[in-house]
Amino acid sequence: MRWRRGRGCSKMAAHAAAGRVRRFWGLCGGPSPLRAFATIIPRVSQVDNSSDFLGNVPHRRHPGVLHLRSVRLPAELVKAAQLLVEQSTVHGLKDQVVSLTNYLWSRKRPLEASELQRRGQQLEQQLREKVQPRTADASSPLTDAEAEKLQRRVLNRLRKTTYHWEALRYTDELSLVYMVARLDGGFAAVSRAFHEIQKRAPAFAPRTLLDFGSGTGSVSWAAHGAWGQTLCEYLCVDSSASMLALAERLLQGGSESPRAPLFPGVYFRQFLPVSPKVKFDLVVSAFSLNELPSLAERRETIQTLWRKTDSFLVLVENGTKEGHQMLMEAREIILGGGDKVVHDPREAHVFAPNPALKEELFSFLILRRGPGAGEEPWPRITQAVLGRAQHVHCHLCCADGSLQHAVITARRHGRDLYRCARLSHWGDRLPVTTPHGEAVPGE
C-alpha cells in the first residue's frame, strides 16, 4: 500500500512538473515542447536489423565506433616541450597560459566592413530619433553641433558593442606560451580527425602532408603517429618565424643546437606554394581560419587549400559557435564550387561533417575528393547517448542535414543493434537501416 501511494505521488509530481513546463513554454510564446520534438521523431524508429553487420565483432567495437577514449602525446614530444619550458625565462608562465587559453576560446571572427557600416547606420537612425522630437519633421537636417554629437555617440556605442579583432603576433615568448597552452589539445583534436579517416578509409596511405597555420607542428606529429610508415614529406606553413623556429626545436628534441630531427621529411616555410599543380595527399588547417582578417581572405585561403588537396582536406576549429560557423562557411565555399578555374574535375563530398565533444572541445570538417558512393551512409550520433530501462535514445545527423531522434529497443530492433546503440558514444556512427533495407542517409 505504501509502495503504491509512493508511485501515485511520483506520478502527480511528474504531471505537475510537466504542467509547469507547458505553462512556462506558453508564457515564452513558443510551441509545445512535445510537439516540437514530434517533428524530429524519425523513420529510424523502424530499423530493420536483419542484416549481419556485426560478424564476429563485439558490440562495443561495432563498425560505427569512432570515438577515442584518450590520446597521449608522443614521449619524445613531451620531453622536448618540457626541456623548452625549463630553458625559458618567461615570467608568470602559468598566468599567461590561462590568459591566452581564455582569449583563444572566446575569439571571434573579424567583423566585415559592410556589417560594421550597417550597424553604424542602424545606430545612427535610432539615436537620431531620440535627438529629433517625433513631432518634428524627420527630414529636417540637424545642426552642425547636433550632427557632431550624434557621430560621437554612434562611434562610442560601436566601440562598446562591437568585437574588436586583432591579429596575433607570435613572438618567441608568445609562441612558448601557446605551446604550453595548446600543444596537447591541438594534438588530440587532430588525432581524432585522423582516426576518422583511418577507421573509415583504411586503404588511405598518404605520402605528402600540407599543414597550413602549423604552429607548434602538432599536426605533423599526429600524422606521423597515424601514417608514419608512408609519409615522406611534411610541409609546415606558418606566417610566424618564431613559431616555425619553436616547431623545429620540438622536432629536434628541444635542443638549442641543431640536431637530426626525430623523424625526417619535415620542411618549414612562411608562405603557401602558389602553383595549383603542387598537390598533397592530406591537407590540414587546425585552429587557423580565425587568424585571417576577413571573409575574402578566408575564402581565398580555403579555395587554395582545396586546390592543393589530392585526397583529404581536414579543417579543425574550436568547439564553439564561431568555430562551427567557420567550418560551415568553408563547407559552402568548397561544395558551392565558387572557384572560377576548375583545377581538378573530381567532385567534393563531405566525409565527416559533425562536431565531436571530448575533454578537448573542438569541431572538425573533413572533405574528400571523388565520389562517396562506396561509403556506408550511416547517421552520426550528435549528442550523448541516453540509456534508459529497456530502451536507448540516440540523436542522429543524416546526409540531408536532418536531425533525427531514434528510440532503440531490443524487442523492436533486435538485440545486436540495441546493444550497439547502448555502447555507442557521441561522434560514433550508428549502423541502422530502414524497413525497406536501404541505409538511413548518413553524412
Side-chain angles (χ1 to χ4, degrees), residues 69-82:
R69 293 194 176 275
S70 63
V71 175
R72 290 189 177 185
L73 289 170
E76 301 92 339
L77 181 57
V78 173
K79 185 177 179 180
Q82 289 176 341

Side-chain angles (χ1 to χ4, degrees), residues 144-190:
D144 292 343
E146 288 176 333
E148 185 179 352
K149 182 179 180 180
L150 179 62
Q151 285 293 93
R152 287 199 304 268
R153 293 184 64 185
V154 169
L155 292 175
N156 186 48
R157 185 75 64 86
L158 281 175
R159 289 191 191 98
K160 291 182 177 179
T161 59
T162 302
Y163 177 78
H164 182 58
W165 182 90
E166 288 182 309
L168 282 171
R169 306 297 180 189
Y170 282 99
T171 61
D172 292 349
E173 180 174 315
L174 187 57
S175 297
L176 183 74
V177 174
Y178 183 88
M179 181 199 73
V180 178
R182 296 295 304 138
L183 182 62
D184 54 351
F187 178 88
V190 174

Side-chain angles (χ1 to χ4, degrees), residues 89-133:
T89 57
V90 177
H91 298 289
L93 180 59
K94 184 177 180 181
D95 292 337
Q96 289 196 52
V97 166
V98 172
S99 178
L100 180 61
T101 299
N102 293 337
Y103 176 74
L104 292 174
W105 183 254
S106 61
R107 194 159 163 79
K108 300 180 184 297
R109 289 167 293 175
L111 194 67
E112 295 297 308
S114 58
E115 176 62 17
L116 184 62
Q117 183 179 11
R118 186 193 67 80
R119 291 187 184 184
Q121 292 173 346
Q122 186 178 22
L123 272 174
E124 183 178 353
Q125 181 63 31
Q126 293 172 355
L127 295 174
R128 182 184 291 271
E129 291 176 357
K130 294 181 180 179
V131 173
Q132 290 180 320

Side-chain angles (χ1 to χ4, degrees), residues 194-206 226-227 230 312 351 368 375-376:
F194 289 170
H195 176 71
E196 179 99 12
I197 299 175
Q198 284 184 298
K199 189 73 182 287
R200 295 175 52 199
F204 179 62
W227 297 289
T230 61
F312 284 99
F351 184 79
R368 187 179 191 181
E375 299 168 7
E376 308 92 339

Side-chain angles (χ1 to χ4, degrees), residues 201-219:
F204 179 62
R207 295 183 57 82
T208 56
L209 163 73
L210 169 62
D211 179 14
F212 173 74
S214 55
T216 60
S218 58
V219 169

